Amino acid sequence: MATTTLNDIIGENIRRLRKSQRMTQQKLARAVYGNQDMVCNWELGKHAPSAYYLVRIADVLGCSVDEILGRK
């Protein structure tokens, strides 16, 4: 049984929030001054975004950093 990590939670939340905005990975990447590979790796839980990117993602997706981190 696989253990869910914080990276997995962050990735799932980024994907859910991005899709709720009907936004592609490419569009999110451009909006946060990154690239599509970064967004893909975040969503797959391979890497977590830095604090800089967490704030940018939250601003673009209209949510809080806490929501991305899975905090209620």
Side-chain angles (χ1 to χ4, degrees), residues 20-69:
S20 75
Q21 299 290 321
R22 293 186 166 89
M23 185 179 291
T24 63
Q25 286 182 344
Q26 182 66 38
K27 188 172 178 183
L28 177 59
R30 276 190 240 123
V32 300
Y33 309 115
N35 62 57
Q36 186 175 356
D37 288 340
M38 288 170 54
V39 174
C40 182
N41 285 330
W42 295 335
E43 290 185 0
L44 292 173
K46 291 182 178 181
H47 304 284
S50 67
Y52 170 81
Y53 283 112
L54 280 172
V55 171
R56 294 281 309 144
I57 294 164
D59 288 346
V60 169
L61 297 178
C63 65
S64 67
V65 171
D66 278 347
E67 188 171 357
I68 295 170
L69 296 176

